[in-house]
Structures are given as structure tokens and as C-alpha cells.
């Protein structure tokens, strides 16, 4: 009895990259035949090396587009995640540079208040409101009296500013810092005496107020916050010459601005944060404007007598 001949086994296609290697495998993505050496495990099946590389490039491009569109991982304040401290470092540098300028002008490390730039930038209610020298509201926050003053504030700003800059991002952090400075100056203009007020501590206390709101919002351990508050309260009330109103004004303002940022509606977050911060600014400006109505109009000028400078004011129109 004759048997039919055995059918020939079907020939396997050669690997796309190694044609001399027959293979029964193929890429799950492009379908091209591939030998085991040219396949890699993928989320779905096995893919060839070309498809793996193309997929990685597309993923990077999509991630870049996603990030540029303003999406991706965010902090509780809506800022992009970052390890940059450039704003904090810049603020410290500006404070230190201005201190050195006053030292050079005054030719004294400990009596740099004799420098013309110090006299023209320190916050004084009479000169600021009566003389219309509104720039003092902010310039005073970058001037300091003596090396201990600048060293203490630079250290405090570096310790607190780095963490808050990461939470808020550059723009929000700058807004928090300068609005806190405005709040500190507002308190001095409303309740302070005629003594000149300088220093970054008002804005730094705003950062401390911000830290308090974040602690409450995230229900963090308040031990570090309480220690900071106790230490700063002791320094504020025990050392003569420190402006209590500047510290209090900065603390309250920083807390208000942070509350406006952290408790803003998630939809259109940046817009609502801007509105909340603007409300605080308008309220502070309104208080300053109201206070200015209680001061007479003055003409103020810087005078030099035998290499010494003095700042004097007189009623407008008087001889």
C-alpha cells in the first residue's frame, strides 16, 4: 500500500534585521518578523528594538508638550515642582549688596545709617506720607542697620525662603514676599512712631505667617512652627529698637495671602489666587491712603553739611 509523500514544512520568514535567521516571532506593534535577539518585553507583548526606541521618543515628546501646556505634577499652591532657590538667593544678594553700599557711603560698618541711600530709603511715616516719598514702603525692606541685622535676616530668609519657594514657585513666592513687605510697612505707617524702620524682617514674618497656614492646611506637626513663633516673639519684644508693628503686619499679611492662594477654587486656580492677592493689596493701599490724609503736605530734602548728611522736611509753601 503506497503512502502519500509528507508535505514539506512551511518555510519561516527571516528576521527583519537578521534575514538569515528564520523566526516565527513578530513585533506586537509593527508586525515585522523578528528573532528573539531583536525583541524586547513591552507593556503589551514583545516589541522590536525600533518600536521600543520610537515609543520612548514619543513618550518624551508627549511629556514635554504636557509640561509646556502647564499640566503635570503640582504643589498645593498650584506651582510646578522645582528644586530652584534662585528667587531666595537673589533677594538675599540684593539685601547684602545694598548693605555694603550703605557701609561704603557711611564709611562705617556699624553706623551705616549715616549713608544717604539709607536716609532716603528708610520708612518714616511723616516723610513717607507727608512728603509723598512712597518708595520708602519697599526700599526700607532692603535696608539694614549694622552687620548683625543683615546677617540675622539673611539667615532667616535662607532657612524659610527655600522651602516656600518650592511650594509657591517663583511668581507666587515673589507676590507673597512683596505683599508681606507692603503689609509690614502699612502697619508701621498706621501705628508706628516717627523712628526710621528698616529691614527684611517684615517680609520674613510674612513667610512665617505663610508657614503657619500651610501647617494648618496640611495638618502637619506644629512643633517646629511653635518653636519659630516663640523664638521670634522673644526677639521682637525683648530687643530694643525692633519694630513690633512691622513684624505683626508682615505676619498677618503673609497668612492672608497664603490663605487666598491655598483655599482658592481649583478651577481657574491662578486667576482666583490673583484676585485674592489683589484684594489684600487693595485693602492695604486703601489703609495707607486713608492714613496719608492725616498728614500735612511737606517738602523734604537731603542736605550735606561738612561731609555729614541730614534729612529735613518743612511745610509745603513755607519759606
Amino acid at each position: 500500500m503506497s503512502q502519500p509523500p509528507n508535505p514539506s514544512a512551511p518555510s519561516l520568514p527571516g528576521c527583519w534585521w537578521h534575514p538569515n535567521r528564520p523566526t516565527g516571532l513578530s513585533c506586537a506593534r509593527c508586525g515585522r518578523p523578528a528573532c528573539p535577539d531583536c525583541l524586547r518585553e513591552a507593556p503589551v507583548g514583545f516589541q522590536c528594538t525600533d518600536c521600543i526606541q520610537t515609543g520612548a521618543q514619543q513618550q518624551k515628546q508627549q511629556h514635554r508638550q504636557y509640561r509646556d501646556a502647564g499640566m503635570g505634577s503640582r504643589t498645593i499652591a498650584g506651582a510646578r515642582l522645582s528644586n530652584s532657590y534662585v528667587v531666595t538667593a537673589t533677594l538675599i544678594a540684593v539685601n547684602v549688596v545694598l548693605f555694603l553700599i550703605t557701609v561704603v557711603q557711611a564709611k562705617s560698618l556699624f553706623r551705616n545709617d549715616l549713608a544717604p541711600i539709607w536716609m532716603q530709603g528708610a520708612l518714616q511715616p511723616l516723610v513717607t506720607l507727608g512728603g509723598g516719598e512712597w518708595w520708602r514702603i519697599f526700599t526700607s525692606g532692603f535696608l539694614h542697620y549694622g552687620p548683625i541685622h543683615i546677617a540675622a535676616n539673611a539667615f532667616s530668609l535662607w532657612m524659610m525662603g527655600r522651602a516656600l519657594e518650592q511650594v509657591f514657585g517663583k511668581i507666587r513666592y515673589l507676590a507673597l514676599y512683596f505683599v508681606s513687605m507692603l503689609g509690614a510697612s502699612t502697619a508701621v505707617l498706621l501705628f508706628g512712631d516717627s523712628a526710621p524702620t528698616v529691614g527684611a524682617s517684615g517680609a520674613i514674618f510674612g513667610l512665617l505667617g505663610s508657614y503657619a497656614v500651610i501647617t494648618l492646611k496640611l495638618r502637619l506637626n506644629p512643633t517646629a512652627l511653635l518653636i519659630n513663633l516663640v523664638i521670634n516673639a522673644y526677639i521682637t519684644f525683648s530687643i530694643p529698637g525692633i519694630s513690633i508693628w512691622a513684624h505683626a503686619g508682615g505676619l498677618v499679611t503673609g497668612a492672608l495671602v497664603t490663605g487666598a492662594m491655598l483655599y482658592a477654587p481649583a478651577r481657574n486656580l491662578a486667576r482666583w489666587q490673583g484676585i485674592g492677592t489683589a484684594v489684600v493689596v487693595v485693602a492695604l493701599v486703601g489703609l495707607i491712603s486713608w492714613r496719608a490724609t492725616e498728614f500735612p503736605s511737606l517738602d523734604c530734602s537731603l542736605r550735606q553739611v561738612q561731609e555729614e548728611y541730614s534729612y529735613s522736611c518743612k511745610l509745603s509753601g513755607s519759606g
Side-chain angles (χ1 to χ4, degrees):
M1 185 175 177
S2 62
Q3 297 288 339
N6 292 328
S8 59
S11 60
L12 297 176
C15 173
W16 185 271
W17 295 268
H18 306 94
N20 60 337
R21 298 182 185 179
T23 179
L25 305 175
S26 62
C27 175
R29 182 171 182 174
C30 66
R32 292 179 293 183
C35 66
D37 291 340
C38 297
L39 291 175
R40 300 291 184 270
E41 188 175 1
V44 179
F46 290 84
Q47 296 181 10
C48 65
T49 53
D50 285 355
C51 288
I52 291 291
Q53 185 176 3
T54 301
Q57 292 175 350
Q58 290 178 349
Q59 187 177 11
K60 289 181 181 179
Q61 184 178 4
Q62 290 175 354
H63 179 72
R64 189 181 303 110
Q65 293 173 347
Y66 188 72
R67 182 190 60 200
D68 293 342
M71 298 176 284
S73 299
R74 295 276 180 166
T75 68
I76 57 172
R80 297 176 184 174
L81 293 177
S82 173
N83 293 323
S84 173
Y85 311 131
V86 62
V87 175
T88 300
T90 301
L91 289 172
I92 294 175
V94 172
N95 280 279
V96 172
V97 168
L98 286 176
F99 173 74
L100 294 177
I101 291 175
T102 60
V103 169
V104 172
Q105 287 187 339
K107 299 178 182 179
S108 173
L109 180 63
F110 295 93
R111 287 304 312 273
N112 62 306
D113 58 312
L114 300 176
I117 190 175
W118 198 98
M119 296 180 181
Q120 292 176 303
L123 183 65
Q124 292 178 277
L126 182 64
V127 177
T128 303
L129 301 178
E133 298 183 358
W134 304 102
W135 63 82
R136 293 173 179 267
I137 292 174
F138 293 103
T139 56
S140 60
F142 291 94
L143 297 173
H144 292 81
Y145 180 75
I148 297 178
H149 193 197
I150 180 63
N153 280 345
F155 176 77
S156 298
L157 180 54
W158 177 249
M159 295 301 296
M160 297 186 59
R162 291 177 297 165
L164 292 177
E165 184 174 348
Q166 289 183 320
V167 172
F168 291 100
K170 296 178 177 60
I171 302 300
R172 293 176 179 84
Y173 176 65
L174 279 173
L176 170 65
Y177 189 88
F178 280 101
V179 177
S180 297
M181 186 183 294
L182 175 62
S185 296
T186 301
V188 172
L189 295 176
L190 290 176
F191 309 109
D193 53 27
S194 58
T197 301
V198 295
S201 55
I204 293 173
F205 264 76
L207 302 184
L208 185 60
S210 175
Y211 179 34
V213 174
I214 293 174
T215 300
L216 294 175
K217 172 72 173 179
L218 299 181
R219 298 181 181 180
L220 302 175
N221 188 335
T223 302
L225 172 64
L226 294 176
I227 293 175
N228 264 302
L229 287 173
V230 170
I231 293 175
N232 283 281
Y234 174 79
I235 294 174
T236 300
F237 290 100
S238 63
I239 299 179
I242 291 182
S243 176
I244 297 175
W245 290 115
H247 290 185
L251 183 73
V252 173
T253 305
L256 290 175
V257 172
T258 303
M261 291 186 178
L262 297 190
Y263 292 93
R267 187 174 183 179
N268 296 323
L269 179 63
R271 177 184 177 185
W272 286 110
Q273 288 176 334
I275 292 174
T277 305
V279 169
V280 177
V281 172
V282 170
L284 294 174
V285 172
L287 289 172
I288 294 175
S289 300
W290 168 77
R291 179 63 169 161
T293 60
E294 300 182 352
F295 284 80
S297 180
L298 302 174
D299 290 328
C300 302
S301 61
L302 180 69
R303 297 181 180 179
Q304 181 180 10
V305 179
Q306 295 180 351
E307 297 185 355
E308 292 187 1
Y309 293 90
S310 63
Y311 211 84
S312 60
C313 296
K314 62 181 180 180
L315 292 173
S316 297
S318 62

